[in-house]
């Protein structure tokens, strides 16, 4: 259950947006241009960016960063991170529950545009012809992306105006990962923040190299917070005052 109003960024953070705040560009697909998602950013990089953007706009920072080493966006940044919680009014990563709630936008099908059963009645999971599912209209993924990122807003937005929630790049969210967390969080599970302990963080949404089965609204994977790849980026959220 989501009980609190929040803002979600319409697009994945772009290379220009990252460069304007951090003054570098870690992206493997830097030639894609300013309007393409920033990638090759770790979870540590993402929370650093959220704090810096909050400072730039005179907002409260949502993460306490201590024991910082390295430089964000260069592949060697890390920190001890403490999240201040959902009452923080600055920029932050969305919780996993917020991410899925906003991605689905009231839908319950495999993709927000519809189910993953093709016109011939078979389940669409790979990179072959999606057979009338509508997926190519909303996502850059293995079927149509050409093994690279693309400009944000290149596909249709979901009913709540969010672009690329399926495909283009995987998105870091705030939560630690536990395979069974939501199975044990069925009762009184209100505004969950994920497990309190663990080593890995959650990625959602799938990327440009991902098959159809892995750009479903429900798909979730894990990576260590230091993980960087050219198919991993992020978008931001904010709690309403």
């Amino acid at each position: 259950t989501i009980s609190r109003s929040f803002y979600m960024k319409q697009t994945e953070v772009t290379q220009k947006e990252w460069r304007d705040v951090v003054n570098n560009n870690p992206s493997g697909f830097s030639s894609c241009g300013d309007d393409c998602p920033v990638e090759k950013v770790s979870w540590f990089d993402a929370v650093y960016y959220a704090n810096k953007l909050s400072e730039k706009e005179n907002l409260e920072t949502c993460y306490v960063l201590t024991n910082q080493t390295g430089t964000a966006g260069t592949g060697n940044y890390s920190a001890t991170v403490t999240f201040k919680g959902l009452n923080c009014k600055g920029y932050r990563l969305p919780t996993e529950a917020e991410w899925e709630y906003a991605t689905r936008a009231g839908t319950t099908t495999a993709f927000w545009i519809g189910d993953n059963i093709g016109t011939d009645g078979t389940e669409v999971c790979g990179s072959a012809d999606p057979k009338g599912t509508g997926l190519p209209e909303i996502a850059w993924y293995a079927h149509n992306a050409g093994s690279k990122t693309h400009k944000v807003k290149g596909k249709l937005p979901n009913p709540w105006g969010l672009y690329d929630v399926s495909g283009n790049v995987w998105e870091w969210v705030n939560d630690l990962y536990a395979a069974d967390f939501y199975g044990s969080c069925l009762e009184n599970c209100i505004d969950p923040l994920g497990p309190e302990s663990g080593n890995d963080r959650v990625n959602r949404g799938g990327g440009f190299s991902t098959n159809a089965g892995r750009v479903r609204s429900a798909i979730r994977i894990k990576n260590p917070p230091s993980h960087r790849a050219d198919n991993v980026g992020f978008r931001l959220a904010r709690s309403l005052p």
Side-chain angles (χ1 to χ4, degrees):
T1 300
I2 301 294
S3 71
R4 307 167 60 109
S5 296
F6 64 96
Y7 298 110
M8 182 76 89
K9 193 175 188 301
Q10 280 191 296
T11 69
E12 294 156 339
V13 173
T14 66
Q15 294 183 29
K16 182 180 187 303
E17 289 170 332
W18 173 275
R19 193 173 59 248
D20 286 349
V21 172
V22 188
N23 297 316
N24 61 32
N25 186 0
S27 302
F29 294 101
S30 58
S31 61
C32 184
D34 284 353
D35 295 328
C36 294
V38 68
E39 20 84 8
K40 295 193 78 171
V41 285
S42 68
W43 184 88
F44 293 124
D45 289 334
V47 298
Y48 177 91
Y49 175 88
N51 267 13
K52 286 299 181 183
L53 185 59
S54 295
E55 291 173 357
K56 187 175 181 179
E57 298 188 10
N58 296 313
L59 297 170
E60 176 189 8
T61 56
C62 290
Y63 300 95
V64 178
L65 305 177
T66 56
N67 303 316
Q68 297 181 75
T69 60
T71 302
T74 64
N76 62 5
Y77 176 72
S78 67
T80 301
V81 182
T82 303
F83 178 48
K84 293 182 181 179
L86 296 178
N87 287 327
C88 177
K89 302 307 187 294
Y91 292 103
R92 57 178 175 80
L93 294 176
T95 68
E96 187 176 9
E98 287 173 336
W99 187 95
E100 186 165 333
Y101 174 77
T103 292
R104 288 188 177 279
T107 66
T108 58
T109 46
F111 316 112
W112 65 257
I113 201 169
D115 63 32
N116 65 331
I117 305 301
T119 51
D120 64 355
T122 60
E123 188 177 67
V124 175
C125 290
S127 60
D129 185 347
K131 301 170 183 166
T133 63
L135 186 55
E137 299 176 40
I138 69 168
W140 293 112
Y141 70 113
H143 174 68
N144 62 359
S147 300
K148 61 183 180 181
T149 59
H150 293 264
K151 291 180 179 180
V152 299
K153 295 188 177 183
K155 296 293 182 179
L156 295 175
N158 78 358
W160 292 353
L162 305 182
Y163 295 86
D164 297 308
V165 286
S166 295
N168 217 357
V169 291
W170 288 93
E171 298 177 18
W172 289 111
V173 296
N174 200 63
D175 302 27
L176 289 163
Y177 176 87
D180 60 351
F181 177 77
Y182 291 97
S184 60
C185 187
L186 295 177
E187 298 296 329
N188 300 315
C189 196
I190 300 172
D191 303 319
L193 297 177
E196 295 183 0
S197 62
N199 298 314
D200 296 321
R201 297 283 174 172
V202 178
N203 298 123
R204 299 298 303 256
F208 64 82
S209 58
T210 307
N211 285 335
R214 285 165 68 85
V215 293
R216 293 177 293 113
S217 297
I219 201 71
R220 55 196 301 261
I221 65 169
K222 63 178 180 177
N223 274 301
S226 58
H227 176 73
R228 300 170 67 246
D230 62 9
N231 65 349
V232 179
F234 66 104
R235 75 177 71 217
L236 295 178
R238 282 185 63 196
S239 299
L240 263 68

